Amino acid sequence: MDFIALDFETATPQRDSPCEIGITVVRDRRIVETRSWLIKPLSYPNFNSFNVAVHGIRAADVRDQPDFAELWPELKPYLENQLLIAHNASFDMSVLRKTLTTYGIP
């Protein structure tokens, strides 16, 4: 089975505030690639203290990182028309959907 596993971290409780995405590409039951990107969220520089306690990512860590729209051309080939899985799928897929909507990305 081929799939992409993904995981988002958010800066705030709002689902359109991703500050990191990690992906793992699995082909023929083997991990062939693992990547992660820091993302400057729309909420920058505001990060919720609870979220920071969960993932440890702070505003200073993303200061010079691209926002989601800038990163999308690099992410799209990994995600488009792929089987996506996630440990906490209801959260991660809602972050993806909400962020795409917020940025006006189809």
Side-chain angles (χ1 to χ4, degrees):
M1 176 188 283
D2 297 346
F3 61 90
I4 306 296
L6 76 124
D7 181 52
F8 276 104
E9 301 298 344
T10 57
T12 69
Q14 284 66 45
R15 298 292 168 100
D16 60 352
S17 69
C19 59
E20 184 180 34
I21 183 174
I23 65 161
T24 297
V25 179
V26 177
R27 302 281 180 242
D28 296 320
R29 301 184 319 182
R30 297 191 190 284
I31 295 172
V32 298
E33 186 175 0
T34 299
R35 299 211 39 206
S36 67
W37 296 264
L38 290 173
I39 304 166
K40 184 187 238 179
L42 285 176
S43 65
Y44 181 84
N46 299 317
F47 274 60
N48 180 279
S49 61
F50 175 80
N51 292 60
V52 172
V54 169
H55 53 60
I57 301 166
R58 300 180 180 282
D61 299 323
V62 302
R63 176 179 26 244
D64 299 321
Q65 300 302 313
D67 68 20
F68 190 85
E70 294 170 302
L71 189 57
W72 181 242
E74 188 173 351
L75 293 174
K76 183 178 178 181
Y78 285 103
L79 305 178
E80 189 172 55
N81 299 316
Q82 300 296 320
L83 174 61
L84 301 178
I85 65 167
H87 172 72
N88 187 358
S90 64
F91 172 78
D92 293 301
M93 298 308 170
S94 71
V95 170
L96 180 59
R97 279 191 308 272
K98 179 66 175 163
T99 303
L100 289 169
T101 298
T102 295
Y103 281 95
I105 301 169

